[in-house]
């Protein structure tokens, strides 16, 4: 019999007692082939390796398969008969959990294993052809394996200082043991640079979001995480933190492998000492006293890179610094440059050493500090001013002979209530007479203020008794 189409048949009908053979008949007719039911195939999921049991999202599985010798299976011609048990996981179609008896297409199913489940997850299905014939019931098997955590390896540990970092340097690379693919040398990355080798794959996809920083984790400036591959790398070498010694950083990274398995692991990497070259090469910085009153600060740079400005900072205790000035930098230059700033009259504020430092700020806002310089102003003896006679009957002599002639002195005579009753403008190196004839008897205060030639303040108060 042919497998398809119709089969022509004919037969001769005659009566055994008929003498006239013309009465015999030979009719012809054709049979119709009966519809053959489709055959559903048992399927073992091969779209990927065994599903990790930590997968939080549904990943596609291999298509359902059926054949039909005399028809077609169109659209939603498949029916899920029995679902995986709840201990195994959940089958999804169009983002909704599948129910028993639901019609589906061949390649629209996804599966999420139950957390912690290890073994084979199974469900059954049938196929229906375009004539309505239903297939046998086929078994679909999804292997689910224990998910193994990703691991990270550290690279470029010799960078920093004379061997500066460059943008795109790899700091840490991940391998997911569930889905990793090694090359012919049984390697995944270059041992020195951390670059992915040809023929290898780390077990994560190369697109989409497969790696994220866990909550509370922050990478240092100039370092980024590749969300697709899980690589931690230098994204901007000029922004790396600069430290006099190697500095370790630890972040927590959550990865998702090709099976949908997910886990969070700590990653510790190190930024080497002096990770980036100084934007300014400072060859000299000094602070010196001028006229025992001012501080002259001078410094010289041999070269500058993206130097925006200098902040000049001062401290009277060597610990707490405050900005007292700012000078613009020269951007980028290979020529030597000298700068100077005068801190005028600072001696009057200083009771001991005065400390200075420079805060160099580059165009990106990053700052570095210079060494600290200090100076000390000479402490001049305090001039002893006096009156004679005291008590006073009519006038008294104010002795300013210990003050230099260039000193200017303002003198105010205050009564007990604080009201000024007399005032004089005087000069040093003299003995002026103060006339108090018209004043009532009592006690007065003579307040002497001024500025000495070296900038030091003058402030003394003498008591006068008027008879």
């Amino acid at each position: 019999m042919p497998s398809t189409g119709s089969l022509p048949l004919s037969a001769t009908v005659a009566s055994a007692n008929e003498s006239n053979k013309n009465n015999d008949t030979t009719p012809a007719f054709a049979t119709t082939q009966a519809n053959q039911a489709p055959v559903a195939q048992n399927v073992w999921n091969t779209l990927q390796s065994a599903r990790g049991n930590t997968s939080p999202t549904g990943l596609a599985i291999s298509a359902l398969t059926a054949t039909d010798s005399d028809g077609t299976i169109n659209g939603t011609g498949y029916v899920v008969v029995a679902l995986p048990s709840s201990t195994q996981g959940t089958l999804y179609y169009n983002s909704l959990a599948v129910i028993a008896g639901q019609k589906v297409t061949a390649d629209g199913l996804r599966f999420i294993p139950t957390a912690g489940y290890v073994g084979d997850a199974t469900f059954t299905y049938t196929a229906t052809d375009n004539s309505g014939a239903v297939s046998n019931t086929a078994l679909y098997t999804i292997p689910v394996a224990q998910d193994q955590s990703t691991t990270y390896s550290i690279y470029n540990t010799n960078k920093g200082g004379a061997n500066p970092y460059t943008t795109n340097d790899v700091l840490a690379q991940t391998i997911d043991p569930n889905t990793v693919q090694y090359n012919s040398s049984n390697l995944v990355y270059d041992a020195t640079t951390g670059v992915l080798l040809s023929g290898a794959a780390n077990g994560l996809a190369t697109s989409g979001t497969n790696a994220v920083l866990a909550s509370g984790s922050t990478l240092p400036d100039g370092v980024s995480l590749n969300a697709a591959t899980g690589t931690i790398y230098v994204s901007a070498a000029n922004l790396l933190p600069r430290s006099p010694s190697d500095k370790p950083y630890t972040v927590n990274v959550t990865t998702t492998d090709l099976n949908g398995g997910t886990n969070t692991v700590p990653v510790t990497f190190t930024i080497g000492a002096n990770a980036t070259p100084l934007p300014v090469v400072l060859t000299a910085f000094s602070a010196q006293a001028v006229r025992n009153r001012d501080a002259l600060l001078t410094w010289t740079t041999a070269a500058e890179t993206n130097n925006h400005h200098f902040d000049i900072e001062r401290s009277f205790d060597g610990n707490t610094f405050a900005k007292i000035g700012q000078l613009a930098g020269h951007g980028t230059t290979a020529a030597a440059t000298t700068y100077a700033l005068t801190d005028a009259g600072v001696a009057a504020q200083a009771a001991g050493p005065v400390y200075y430092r420079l805060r160099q700020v580059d165009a990106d806002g990053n700052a570095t500090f210079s060494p600290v310089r200090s100076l000390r102003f000479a402490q001049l003896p305090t001039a002893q001013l006096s009156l004679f006679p005291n008590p006073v009957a009519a006038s008294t002599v104010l002795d300013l002979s210990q003050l230099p002639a260039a000193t200017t002195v303002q003198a105010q005579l205050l009564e007990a209530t604080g009201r000024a009753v007399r005032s004089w403008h005087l000069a040093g190196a003299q003995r002026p007479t103060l006339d108090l004839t018209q004043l009532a008897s009592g006690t007065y205060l003579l307040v002497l203020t001024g500025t000495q030639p070296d900038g030091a303040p003058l402030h003394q108060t003498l008591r006068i008794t008027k008879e």
Side-chain angles (χ1 to χ4, degrees), residues 54-57 59 150 176 179 203-205 209-212 228 254-263:
T54 62
S55 174
T57 58
L59 293 186
T150 55
D176 188 280
T179 50
L204 275 61
T209 300
N210 311 303
V212 296
T254 300
T255 60
T256 303
D257 64 22
L258 290 169
N259 287 338
T262 182
N263 58 86

Side-chain angles (χ1 to χ4, degrees), residues 80-91 98 111-115 117-124 139-140 142 144:
V80 176
V81 177
L83 298 170
S85 71
S86 59
T87 60
Q88 296 174 349
T90 304
L91 200 61
V98 175
F111 178 72
I112 299 179
T114 298
Y117 176 74
V118 175
D120 292 338
T122 60
F123 66 92
T124 59
L139 179 68
Y140 196 112
I142 306 171
V144 179

Side-chain angles (χ1 to χ4, degrees), residues 390-418:
N390 191 9
V392 181
S395 63
T396 185
V397 175
L398 175 61
D399 187 356
L400 301 178
S401 61
Q402 292 189 24
L403 296 177
T407 302
T408 57
V409 178
Q410 288 76 45
Q412 272 197 325
L413 189 65
L414 308 179
E415 62 181 10
T417 62

Side-chain angles (χ1 to χ4, degrees), residues 245-461:
S245 59
D246 293 352
K247 186 172 182 179
Y249 296 87
T250 298
V251 294
N252 292 314
V253 180
T254 300
T255 60
T256 303
D257 64 22
L258 290 169
N259 287 338
T262 182
N263 58 86
T264 301
V265 295
V267 185
T268 299
F269 59 92
T270 298
I271 301 296
N274 302 317
T276 54
L278 284 172
V280 169
V281 179
L282 188 68
T283 57
F285 176 38
S286 65
Q288 60 184 116
V290 176
R291 298 174 58 190
N292 206 43
R293 179 182 63 192
D294 306 328
L296 175 61
L297 311 177
T298 58
W299 63 97
T300 301
T301 62
E304 301 179 20
T305 303
N306 296 325
N307 180 24
H308 187 266
H309 70 270
F310 291 96
D311 288 334
I312 298 86
E313 298 183 346
R314 179 183 67 200
S315 172
F316 293 112
D317 61 9
N319 294 312
T320 304
F321 284 82
K323 179 178 174 180
I324 61 168
Q326 177 177 311
L327 291 180
H330 282 71
T332 298
T333 177
T337 306
T338 298
Y339 298 85
L341 180 136
T342 298
D343 188 11
V346 64
Q349 306 175 54
V354 185
Y355 304 88
Y356 293 95
R357 71 182 183 188
L358 305 174
R359 180 175 179 267
Q360 184 276 319
V361 183
D362 64 26
D364 296 317
N366 294 313
T368 55
F369 289 96
S370 73
V372 175
R373 298 289 184 258
S374 65
L375 58 81
R376 184 186 293 270
F377 293 96
Q379 298 298 310
L380 299 178
T382 303
Q384 297 300 315
L385 308 183
S386 61
L387 293 163
F388 183 80
N390 191 9
V392 181
S395 63
T396 185
V397 175
L398 175 61
D399 187 356
L400 301 178
S401 61
Q402 292 189 24
L403 296 177
T407 302
T408 57
V409 178
Q410 288 76 45
Q412 272 197 325
L413 189 65
L414 308 179
E415 62 181 10
T417 62
R419 183 175 67 92
V421 294
R422 293 283 190 280
S423 63
W424 299 270
H425 293 282
L426 308 171
Q430 298 183 19
R431 291 185 175 85
T433 298
L434 306 182
D435 184 8
L436 307 181
T437 304
Q438 302 301 320
L439 294 180
S441 298
T443 300
Y444 296 83
L445 295 179
L446 181 63
V447 179
L448 305 169
T449 59
T451 302
Q452 301 187 57
D454 63 358
L458 170 67
H459 189 101
Q460 288 193 33
T461 301

Side-chain angles (χ1 to χ4, degrees), residues 88-106:
Q88 296 174 349
T90 304
L91 200 61
Y92 286 87
Y93 182 71
N94 290 336
S95 301
L96 298 175
V98 175
I99 60 176
Q102 181 174 339
K103 293 182 178 181
V104 297
T105 57

Side-chain angles (χ1 to χ4, degrees), residues 91-169:
L91 200 61
Y92 286 87
Y93 182 71
N94 290 336
S95 301
L96 298 175
V98 175
I99 60 176
Q102 181 174 339
K103 293 182 178 181
V104 297
T105 57
D107 57 359
L109 291 172
R110 293 174 177 269
F111 178 72
I112 299 179
T114 298
Y117 176 74
V118 175
D120 292 338
T122 60
F123 66 92
T124 59
Y125 70 96
T126 61
T128 303
D129 67 13
N130 58 322
S131 296
V134 179
S135 73
N136 59 297
T137 299
L139 179 68
Y140 196 112
T141 303
I142 306 171
V144 179
Q146 178 68 47
D147 190 65
Q148 301 180 61
S149 295
T150 55
T151 60
Y152 267 87
S153 298
I154 308 304
Y155 296 90
N156 286 305
T157 57
N158 62 337
K159 288 296 186 81
N163 184 22
Y165 288 91
T166 59
T167 298
N168 293 322
D169 276 348

